Amino acid sequence: MGNESGQNFQRRHQQIPLAVIKRLPVYHRYLSDLHQKEVARISSSELAAKIGITASQLRQDLSWFGSFGQQGYGYRVDELLREVSRILGLNQNIGMVLVGAGRLGRAIIHYANFKRRGFHTKAIFDNNPEIVGQIIDGIPVYDISELENYLKNHSIQIGVITTPATVAQEVADRLVRSGIKGIWNFAPVSLKVPDDVIVEHVHIGESLMVLSMKLQQRKASGPDS
Amino acid sequence: MGNESGQNFQRRHQQIPLAVIKRLPVYHRYLSDLHQKEVARISSSELAAKIGITASQLRQDLSWFGSFGQQGYGYRVDELLREVSRILGLNQNIGMVLVGAGRLGRAIIHYANFKRRGFHTKAIFDNNPEIVGQIIDGIPVYDISELENYLKNHSIQIGVITTPATVAQEVADRLVRSGIKGIWNFAPVSLKVPDDVIVEHVHIGESLMVLSMKLQQRKASGPDS
DNA sequence: CCTTTTTTGTTAAATATTTAACAATATTAG
DNA sequence: CTAATATTGTTAAATATTTAACAAAAAAGG
C-alpha cells in the first residue's frame, strides 16, 4: 500500500504545474474506461502506453498528489479513479448558470449535464424575450436582468458564458460582481477578471486555426517527413 | 523593413514548438482587433502587454517564421496580421464535412461558418433518417452511408466529428480511409489515426474538469494565496 | 547631417518540464 | 522461507521553453 494512502491532498507546497493539471482529465477518462471494462489493476507503464505518454511522466504527475500505487503490483483502477476524481473535484456537486441560450449554449447544457456528473446547470439567462420563460432540458430560462438577483439567492459556483463575443466581458463583469469565482468561457475573447476568479476558456476557433496551420505545415514540408 | 520581409515561411528547419503554434491564433485575434480599430502600428512590448505575455516571447515566437518588424518602429498591424493569417493557413479556402448533426454539430457549423473565413462546411452526414435530407444553415444533410462516395467526388480537407463518443473512432477510420488528413474532433475520445493524419481535439469536458480542479485547489489553499 | 531614442531579431541565461535511472519494497514462484 | 521479479516513488539528467540582455539598425529630433 502507498506510504500515505492518498490521505493528503497535494503533498508539496509548490504550485502544481499547469501541464500536470491538464493531463489529469485525460487520466480520468482512461481510468473510467478501464473501470467500466472491469479491469482491476494496471501498471504505470500499461496505462501510459494506452494514453501515449511515458510511464515516468504518469508516475511523476501522480506524485504531486500522493502515493496511490503499490510496488510490484501497480495501481488498483477503482482506487486510482476515485483519487483522480477527488483531485478533480468531481466528488462534489457544483452549481452552474449559463448565460446565452443560443445554439452553442444549448449544446453545452446537454453536454455538461449528461456527460459529467456533479455539474448541475440550475438556470439559463438570455436577453431574447422569445426564449425567456422557456424550459430547456428541464432548466428554466430567465431574463438576463434577473442574473444578479438569482445569484444572490442560490449557491452557484460556475458561470458559463456562451454569448456573442461582444457582450461576454460585460457578462463576466456581472458574474464577478455577484461573487462567482469560476467562469467557463466559450466566447472568443480573453476575459479580464480579478486574480481570485478562475477562467477556463474553450478555444474552439483557435483549435481550428491550429489544425489549419498544422495541415499547411505538413503540406509545405512534404507529406513524408 | 524586415531583412527578409517574410518571403520565407519557417526560417529554420527544426520543428516549430507546439507552444508557439498554440499562441499564434491568439496573436491573430489581437491583431484582428487592432486592425478593426484602425491601429496602424504596434511594438512587441505593447502587444505583449495586451495579450499578457512578455515582449521577448512574442518576438521569439515570430522569429520562427521570419522578420516582420522594423527596428525603432515596431510592427505594421496590417502587415503582421496578413503574415500571421498566412502562417495559420487562413488565406486559402478549406473544405470541411461534418459528421453528427446533433446540437453540438449544429452549433459548430454556425460557429465555424460565421466566425472564421476560409472554412467552408460543404456537407453534413448523420444516421438519423429524420434529419437526412434537411438543409441546415444552407448545408445539405446526407446519410452517413454516402460519406465515402461524397469524399471521393469533392475536395475536402477537414472532417469534423460531433458524433457520440461511441462511434467517433469508426467515423474517424472512415474519414481516414477516404483520404482526409485533418480531423477536428469534439467527441471525448482519443482517436487513433495514422501518423500522416492530424487530429485537433476540442477538450470541452476536460476543460470543465480543469476549472473544477482549480476552484477546489483555490478553496483548499486559502482564498488569499 | 549627426545624435539620441526606440525597438527589433538573436544569442545566452534562467526556468520548467520531461525522461531516465534506481533504491526500496511488495508480490510471486519455488 | 528465500530468491527472483515487478513496479513504485523519487532523485538526477536531459530536454524544452521562457526570459533577459544586447548589438544592430531604423526613426525622430534637432
Side-chain angles (χ1 to χ4, degrees):
Chain A
M1 201 52 57
N3 61 334
E4 308 187 34
S5 296
Q7 284 313 304
N8 58 338
F9 179 74
Q10 193 177 331
R11 214 176 53 245
R12 308 165 205 203
H13 275 281
Q14 255 184 291
Q15 174 79 23
I16 293 166
L18 186 60
V20 173
I21 291 180
K22 286 208 270 199
R23 279 189 293 268
L24 285 173
V26 180
Y27 300 162
H28 182 268
R29 178 150 50 79
Y30 279 89
L31 288 167
S32 296
D33 267 16
L34 289 168
H35 188 59
Q36 206 157 26
K37 287 175 186 152
E38 304 193 51
V39 176
R41 80 160 266 287
I42 196 159
S43 68
S44 60
S45 39
E46 282 176 281
L47 181 52
K50 275 185 191 293
I51 296 174
I53 61 174
T54 63
S56 207
Q57 181 163 67
L58 177 56
R59 293 203 301 273
Q60 185 89 262
D61 284 356
L62 292 177
S63 83
W64 281 93
F65 304 98
S67 305
F68 310 121
Q70 255 173 289
Q71 284 145 326
Y73 178 82
Y75 301 88
R76 294 177 50 114
V77 171
D78 60 352
E79 190 184 314
L80 189 55
L81 175 59
R82 199 167 347 105
E83 292 292 348
V84 172
S85 298
R86 186 177 52 79
I87 293 165
L88 287 168
L90 303 181
N91 53 341
Q92 57 210 302
N93 276 350
I94 296 184
M96 311 204 294
V97 297
L98 182 140
V99 184
R103 304 186 198 210
L104 187 59
R106 287 155 194 254
I108 297 306
I109 289 164
H110 195 69
Y111 194 96
N113 257 10
F114 279 68
K115 297 265 167 182
R116 307 289 167 206
R117 291 203 212 101
F119 299 100
H120 301 285
T121 307
K122 300 279 183 60
I124 300 170
F125 296 88
D126 203 289
N127 63 358
N128 182 343
E130 298 196 7
I131 298 174
V132 170
Q134 285 184 18
I135 306 253
I136 297 176
D137 259 319
I139 305 158
V141 182
Y142 301 113
D143 191 90
I144 183 68
S145 63
E146 310 271 346
L147 182 63
E148 284 81 359
N149 191 46
Y150 184 93
L151 292 174
K152 205 180 296 174
N153 295 303
H154 296 78
S155 170
I156 300 294
Q157 285 76 51
I158 292 177
V160 187
I161 299 179
T162 50
T163 63
T166 43
V167 298
Q169 181 63 58
E170 189 208 315
V171 169
D173 292 343
R174 292 175 64 181
L175 290 168
V176 168
R177 275 203 302 275
S178 294
I180 291 290
K181 299 296 183 200
I183 292 179
W184 198 24
N185 175 41
F186 288 81
V189 286
S190 300
L191 299 175
K192 307 261 182 305
V193 299
D195 279 352
D196 66 332
V197 176
I198 296 164
V199 176
E200 264 293 310
H201 182 165
V202 179
H203 307 267
I204 296 180
E206 292 171 22
S207 159
L208 181 55
M209 287 189 195
V210 168
L211 177 56
S212 160
M213 176 176 171
K214 286 182 179 170
L215 279 172
Q216 163 142 326
Q217 277 204 280
R218 190 59 65 91
K219 214 165 50 184
S221 65
D224 49 296
S225 75
Chain B
M1 203 51 58
N3 62 333
E4 307 187 35
S5 298
Q7 285 310 305
N8 58 338
F9 178 73
Q10 192 177 333
R11 214 175 53 246
R12 307 164 205 204
H13 274 281
Q14 255 183 290
Q15 175 78 21
I16 293 167
L18 186 61
V20 173
I21 291 180
K22 286 208 269 201
R23 280 190 292 268
L24 285 173
V26 181
Y27 300 162
H28 183 268
R29 177 150 51 80
Y30 279 88
L31 287 167
S32 296
D33 268 15
L34 288 168
H35 187 60
Q36 205 155 28
K37 287 175 186 154
E38 304 194 49
V39 176
R41 78 160 268 289
I42 195 159
S43 68
S44 60
S45 39
E46 282 177 281
L47 181 53
K50 274 185 190 294
I51 296 173
I53 59 173
T54 63
S56 208
Q57 181 164 66
L58 177 56
R59 294 204 300 275
Q60 185 89 265
D61 283 356
L62 292 177
S63 84
W64 281 93
F65 304 98
S67 306
F68 309 121
Q70 256 173 289
Q71 283 145 326
Y73 178 82
Y75 301 88
R76 293 178 51 115
V77 172
D78 59 352
E79 189 183 315
L80 189 55
L81 175 59
R82 201 168 343 109
E83 293 292 348
V84 172
S85 298
R86 185 177 54 78
I87 293 164
L88 287 168
L90 303 181
N91 54 341
Q92 58 209 300
N93 276 350
I94 296 184
M96 310 204 295
V97 297
L98 183 141
V99 184
R103 302 188 200 209
L104 187 60
R106 287 155 195 254
I108 297 306
I109 288 162
H110 196 71
Y111 194 97
N113 257 9
F114 279 68
K115 298 264 168 183
R116 307 288 168 208
R117 290 202 213 99
F119 299 100
H120 301 284
T121 307
K122 300 280 182 62
I124 300 169
F125 295 88
D126 204 290
N127 63 357
N128 182 343
E130 297 196 8
I131 298 174
V132 170
Q134 284 183 17
I135 305 254
I136 298 176
D137 260 320
I139 304 159
V141 183
Y142 301 112
D143 190 89
I144 184 68
S145 64
E146 311 270 345
L147 181 64
E148 283 82 358
N149 192 45
Y150 184 94
L151 291 174
K152 204 181 297 174
N153 295 302
H154 296 79
S155 170
I156 300 294
Q157 285 75 51
I158 293 177
V160 187
I161 299 179
T162 50
T163 63
T166 44
V167 297
Q169 181 65 56
E170 189 208 315
V171 169
D173 291 343
R174 291 175 65 180
L175 290 168
V176 168
R177 274 204 302 274
S178 293
I180 292 290
K181 298 297 181 199
I183 293 179
W184 197 25
N185 176 40
F186 288 80
V189 285
S190 300
L191 299 174
K192 306 262 182 307
V193 299
D195 280 352
D196 66 332
V197 176
I198 296 163
V199 175
E200 265 293 308
H201 182 165
V202 179
H203 308 266
I204 296 180
E206 293 171 21
S207 160
L208 181 57
M209 288 190 194
V210 168
L211 176 55
S212 160
M213 173 173 176
K214 286 182 180 170
L215 279 172
Q216 163 141 327
Q217 278 206 278
R218 189 61 64 90
K219 214 165 49 182
S221 64
D224 49 295
S225 72

